[in-house]
Amino acid sequence: RVEVKSNQSWASVCEADFDRQDAEVVCGELGCGAPAALQGGLYGEGEGQTWDKEFQCKGKESLLLDCDTSDRENNTCLPGNAVGLTCSEYERQYRDVAAVVCRQLGCGSTVSVLPGNTTRGFGVYCSGSESSLRECFRRSYDLLPGLTVICSGSFLLTFTGSNRTQTQPAVNHSAAFLFPAADDSHQGNYSCVYDNYVFSHNFSSESELLSLTITGN
C-alpha cells in the first residue's frame, strides 16, 4: 500500500492519483524491479488520512518525492481505493515462498499464488529451495500482505493388463489425460487414482474401472 509522510503522519495515496509511471519510480526507489500489479485496495486501507496531492512522475526519477505534484481535482477518494502496488521482485519472492509451502505440506507443486488478507506477522524471504518455512530468512514483525497458495496433488491413470501408466499433476483437484486416435491396442480397463500427501499422511481415491472397447473399421 502506497503511503507518504506528511506533517509527521502517514497518508494513503488514492488510486485515481497514481499511474504506471508513478509506480515505476516507487519500485525503482525500493530496488524491487518493475511494477507487476497496480490495483486499488489490494493491500487494504490505511488507518490515517488520504493524501491531498497527485503525483506527476515521468518514470525516471530516483525518488517518489522528487516527482512533481499538483493539487487533486476533487477532494474525494472512495474507500477501498488506496493504491496497492506489487513490484516484480516481490512477485518472484511470493512464488518462491509458495514453492516452499507446497513442498513442506507434501502437496506437489504450486498451482497459483494470490494475495491474501493483510495481517500482522513475520515476513519471510525464501530462495525456493528450502524444505520448510523455518529455513527461510525471517524479517521484522509488521503489517504485511498474506498469501493464498494452491498446491497440486497428482492423478495416476493405469491401463490394467499392461505396464502403461500416465501421471498428471492435479489442478483444482482435476486432471486431463489426452490420447491419440484410439486403436485396438487401447482396448481394456482403465482406473484412475487421485493421490495427495498432506502432513505425512497419504490420501488416495480410486475410480471405478472404465472399460474401453474399439468397434468399427
Side-chain angles (χ1 to χ4, degrees):
R1 184 176 61 247
V2 180
E3 298 184 9
V4 295
K5 196 170 187 179
S6 176
N7 296 326
Q8 302 305 310
S9 62
W10 289 96
S12 299
V13 177
C14 188
E15 180 184 26
D17 303 331
F18 204 82
D19 60 18
R20 179 82 181 188
Q21 290 174 306
D22 302 331
E24 288 174 355
V25 175
V26 172
C27 289
E29 180 178 347
L30 296 174
C32 292
L38 185 60
Q39 179 182 334
L42 186 62
Y43 298 119
E45 286 297 298
E47 297 177 0
Q49 60 185 351
T50 301
W51 201 51
D52 59 359
K53 300 286 185 180
E54 179 178 349
F55 287 109
Q56 295 177 328
C57 300
K58 296 177 174 63
K60 303 299 182 184
E61 294 88 348
S62 299
L63 303 172
L64 181 64
L65 295 183
D66 287 344
C67 296
D68 293 334
T69 60
S70 64
D71 292 332
R72 293 168 56 192
E73 293 184 1
N74 55 63
N75 292 322
T76 61
C77 184
L78 296 175
N81 284 347
V83 172
L85 172 62
T86 305
C87 304
S88 57
E89 181 67 14
Y90 278 117
E91 193 171 65
R92 183 189 65 79
Q93 290 179 21
Y94 291 163
R95 291 195 298 268
D96 291 340
V97 170
V100 175
V101 169
C102 291
R103 184 178 302 118
Q104 181 176 352
L105 294 176
C107 288
S109 58
T110 306
V111 174
S112 66
V113 186
L114 303 169
N117 294 331
T118 299
T119 185
R120 291 195 177 276
F122 287 100
V124 293
Y125 180 89
C126 303
S127 68
S129 61
E130 295 88 349
S131 59
S132 72
L133 286 176
R134 290 184 178 182
E135 297 176 12
C136 297
F137 174 72
R138 190 170 71 171
R139 299 187 297 195
S140 60
Y141 187 85
D142 205 347
L143 185 65
L144 299 166
L147 291 181
T148 297
V149 180
I150 299 176
C151 309
S152 69
S154 65
F155 280 91
L156 175 66
L157 181 70
T158 301
F159 182 24
T160 58
S162 77
N163 293 324
R164 285 193 306 203
T165 61
Q166 290 188 40
T167 302
Q168 292 277 9
V171 178
N172 292 332
H173 307 294
S174 64
F177 293 90
L178 304 179
F179 290 86
D183 57 34
D184 289 344
S185 67
H186 295 100
Q187 290 192 123
N189 295 320
Y190 292 82
S191 66
C192 192
V193 176
Y194 177 45
D195 190 60
N196 214 342
Y197 186 75
V198 184
F199 293 123
S200 301
H201 290 83
N202 191 61
F203 298 91
S204 295
S205 177
E206 185 171 0
S207 69
E208 296 180 359
L209 284 179
L210 172 67
S211 181
L212 179 65
T213 302
I214 306 297
T215 59
N217 295 327

